[in-house]
Amino acid sequence: MTDNKKIYIETYGCQMNFSDTEIILGILDENGYEITEDVNSSDIIFLNTCSVRENAEKKIFKRLNELKKIKTRKKDLIVGILGCTAERLKNDLLEKYDIVDLIIGPDEYRKVPALLKNRRETGEKGIAVVLSEMETYDDILPFRKNGVTAFISVMRGCNNFCSYCIVPFTRGRERSRNAGTIVREAEELVRSGVKDIWLLGQNVNSYRCEGIDFPELLKIIAGKLPGVRIRFITSHPYDLSDKLLEIMAEHKNICKYIHLPLQSGSDKILKVMNRLYSAADYLRIIQRARNIMPDVGLSTDIICGFPGETDDDHKKTLDLLNEIKFDSAFTFAYSPRENTEAFELGDSIPSEIKSERLKEIIQLQRNISLEVHNKMLGKILNVLFESRSKRSDKQLMGRTDCNKSVIIEKGKYEIGDFLDVKIEKVNSATLFGKVTGITND
Ligand code: SAH
Ligand code: SF4
Ligand code: F3S
């Protein structure tokens, strides 16, 4: 079969999903499919979906309704739902949306070619949603767009069962990928021009494979790839170790950046969330990190309006944000997810109060980020440029070691350059500057 093999994938959700899309495309590329970025000319449309909040799923249902139009025009079109919503809703999706042909969960991507073939040959719809305790796709070569930055998934799944979170249900149990295969993939990426590698996992601190833990994995990779930036997400405060901080500090090429979801500043709420740390524990980690790495970049996630959150609990979150002064924060209104423990608690905070709290946190963090950025004025920072700026083709966008976005005039500079940039202007999201030198880090 040589025709009808143009595949288009749209990806929603976290970096893990973007990394999975590269794995799915890798499998399809091996099997003779042609990858396209044009939805209208494709024979197969996959949505790689996210279930983390209701709004994330609403977006997907809206998109499915839009795809109906394409399917009416093109009867042979195959539509597949992959990823977390496929895993969460399973058969219900086939019943609710008759344009859907395939439902494939995050641990079943090896079956994609067989399911497509069967759909084409027999007309049967297909569903594969079994979660695995082993699957890491470690032998699959992901299909990546050439770039400066690349993702490598080092572990999959989550065993933490935070009471609000659907991820352990959609992604299954934790499992880690063999260090040797990670190193080989990283070395291959560097040969192809990658200069910035993100190691991904729902909770990278839980990485453990054949006696190697996450700090050791970082050490091995950083040692083998000098001059290449190594970053990781996401860390859980419960098991972020001193050893990790020390290894970060010891290696110049491990980026001094930690994304450490706090979720709430109230011990009462943290307990019901099943986060396994208190506000004081969290503060201690931040202080340790800053002692060892004074310029470490810190970002976080906050949920507001969790069931039972009082004004006083909310104030504790604001106070802690004021005390810590994160570089940035991602803030979400609580969204009840069926089957999670917190679902049983209802959704007691009215949506107007949730929005007010959300607004207040976002405004406060914006002021803090601006204050942090103002302190960077006049400093010279080393920046790796990774793309054209979204606003203008005449500008380049890059990141500092501590994950700040920096914009410069393009001039003679190229994507992939490591440059020293003097910061001349800032806002709460971005730094702007002028190049003072070229570094070959
Ligand atoms: N594994 C990562 C986060 C995965 S989900 C970690 O533990 O850090 C990303 C963020 O979505 C979470 O940190 C949390 O802030 C938010 N989130 C998860 N479930 C949510 C829910 N039910 N309602 C609102 N926000 C939620
Ligand atoms: Fe969800 Fe908690 Fe696991 Fe993160 S650690 S994915 S928030 S259950
Ligand atoms: Fe969403 Fe699944 Fe990631 S629910 S946040 S795509 S793990």
Side-chain angles (χ1 to χ4, degrees), residues 5 91 156 168 204 245 281 309 329 346 378 415:
K5 281 198 151 188
N91 252 321
R156 301 175 69 85
V204 288
L245 298 175
D281 295 333
E309 185 189 67
I415 291 170

Side-chain angles (χ1 to χ4, degrees), residues 243-386:
K243 184 171 164 192
L244 176 74
L245 298 175
E246 280 152 20
I247 291 203
M248 286 177 77
E250 275 164 24
H251 290 82
K252 196 169 162 230
N253 59 333
I254 302 179
C255 288
K256 307 298 175 274
Y257 168 63
I258 309 175
H259 180 64
L260 196 65
L262 165 65
Q263 314 299 3
S264 168
S266 153
D267 287 346
K268 180 191 96 191
I269 298 292
L270 286 172
K271 191 146 199 261
V272 192
M273 284 179 162
N274 192 30
R275 289 292 285 180
L276 308 174
Y277 54 85
S278 63
D281 295 333
Y282 189 94
L283 260 178
R284 268 194 296 275
I285 301 172
I286 298 289
Q287 279 156 0
R288 270 205 311 264
R290 284 182 167 153
N291 275 342
I292 307 180
M293 298 172 281
D295 291 326
V296 66
L298 292 165
S299 60
T300 199
D301 292 346
I302 303 285
I303 298 177
C304 67
F306 186 82
E309 185 189 67
T310 60
D311 282 341
D312 185 50
D313 294 319
H314 171 59
K315 188 167 174 300
K316 288 192 166 118
T317 301
L318 296 172
D319 288 348
L320 203 55
L321 289 175
N322 257 322
E323 184 169 353
I324 294 174
K325 299 198 192 302
F326 288 103
D327 293 83
S328 62
F330 302 89
T331 311
F332 312 104
Y334 173 68
S335 167
R337 309 311 286 140
E338 234 171 303
N339 288 326
T340 60
E341 219 183 304
F343 191 74
E344 307 302 318
L345 304 173
D347 192 9
S348 65
I349 310 299
S351 60
E352 311 82 68
I353 296 192
K354 277 189 200 167
S355 321
E356 253 171 52
R357 290 182 182 167
L358 188 69
K359 244 198 246 155
E360 211 176 342
I361 296 175
I362 291 173
Q363 191 52 52
L364 169 66
Q365 184 55 46
R366 202 171 281 155
N367 294 342
I368 295 172
S369 297
L370 186 60
E371 189 185 319
V372 173
H373 289 177
N374 271 328
K375 289 198 183 128
M376 295 185 153
L377 281 169
K379 286 200 176 164
I380 294 176
L381 305 174
N382 187 242
V383 182
L384 170 60
F385 285 89
E386 58 185 56

Side-chain angles (χ1 to χ4, degrees), residues 53-165:
R53 285 168 291 276
E54 196 185 351
N55 278 343
E57 276 188 347
K58 274 196 187 146
K59 244 193 257 170
I60 287 147
F61 300 143
K62 186 164 162 254
R63 188 69 180 126
L64 272 177
N65 284 328
E66 288 166 11
L67 293 181
K68 267 187 201 159
K69 284 180 222 134
I70 307 187
K71 188 129 177 176
T72 322
R73 250 193 297 122
K74 220 174 174 177
K75 292 276 179 264
D76 291 343
L77 180 75
I78 296 181
V79 174
I81 300 293
L82 284 70
C84 290
T85 307
E87 192 62 50
R88 191 177 89 79
L89 295 175
K90 305 185 171 71
N91 252 321
D92 290 359
L93 273 172
L94 285 181
E95 281 158 28
K96 262 203 205 126
Y97 293 90
D98 58 351
I99 67 157
V100 175
D101 301 287
L102 301 176
I103 307 283
I104 309 169
D107 287 343
E108 296 268 42
Y109 295 146
R110 287 179 198 270
K111 291 192 184 147
V112 169
L115 287 164
L116 279 170
K117 186 165 180 270
N118 189 55
R119 168 71 181 136
R120 215 175 275 128
E121 289 175 1
T122 68
E124 277 169 26
K125 296 198 173 199
I127 175 159
V129 287
V130 176
L131 287 171
S132 154
E133 297 200 351
M134 317 271 284
E135 183 61 272
T136 59
Y137 300 108
D138 60 353
D139 57 325
I140 305 280
L141 185 65
F143 184 94
R144 297 180 168 98
K145 277 192 215 154
N146 281 336
V148 172
T149 293
F151 295 144
I152 303 182
S153 297
V154 300
M155 55 86 62
R156 301 175 69 85
C158 182
N159 291 353
N160 290 327
F161 288 93
C162 301
S163 65
Y164 50 81
C165 186

Side-chain angles (χ1 to χ4, degrees), residues 11-18 20 48-53 56-57 83-85 88 106 165-168 170-171 202 337:
T11 310
Y12 298 80
C14 63
Q15 281 94 339
M16 292 289 294
N17 252 18
F18 283 82
D20 279 359
N48 190 5
T49 59
C50 174
S51 291
V52 77
R53 285 168 291 276
E57 276 188 347
C84 290
T85 307
R88 191 177 89 79
C165 186
I166 197 70
V167 171
T170 62
R171 296 241 158 208
Q202 288 305 334
R337 309 311 286 140

